[in-house]
Amino acid sequence: MDQEEFLARITTMVDDERRLRDALASGQIDSATENQRLEQLERELDRCWDLLRQRRAKTEFGENPDDAQARPSSQVEGYQN
């Protein structure tokens, strides 16, 4: 996957996140369902952002971005901005 494909995937997930919040606000889903789905989505988003950052760093330092590896959410979740 190249950078544009990663960004498109991230955009899709952000859109999904908005749809979940809208569904809760309109009463289409309950908060427990929203929380469960959001947790999954947020974990996957964190992993995608992490992988994209790794790929960008490898490119910046002359390495092959395809060597970047997706890390488990347990490792990625603890990051601070």
Side-chain angles (χ1 to χ4, degrees), residues 38-49:
L38 278 176
E39 285 177 18
Q40 289 176 314
L41 191 55
E42 288 170 355
R43 279 193 300 272
E44 190 59 28
L45 266 169
D46 287 346
R47 292 182 74 218
C48 283
W49 278 117

Side-chain angles (χ1 to χ4, degrees), residues 26-40:
S26 67
Q28 295 173 351
I29 60 173
D30 61 27
S31 61
T33 301
E34 182 221 21
N35 286 336
Q36 179 184 15
R37 290 181 183 169
L38 278 176
E39 285 177 18
Q40 289 176 314

Side-chain angles (χ1 to χ4, degrees), residues 2 9 13 21 23 26 30 51-52 62-63 69-71:
D2 66 15
R9 184 172 179 201
M13 286 189 277
R21 293 187 191 282
S26 67
D30 61 27
L51 188 54
L52 182 60
E63 298 177 27
Q69 298 289 317
R71 296 187 252 210

Side-chain angles (χ1 to χ4, degrees), residues 50-68:
D50 176 66
L51 188 54
L52 182 60
R53 286 184 195 106
Q54 286 183 59
R55 291 177 59 82
R56 286 176 173 171
K58 287 189 177 295
T59 299
E60 182 179 341
F61 291 99
E63 298 177 27
N64 184 350
D66 292 333
D67 291 341

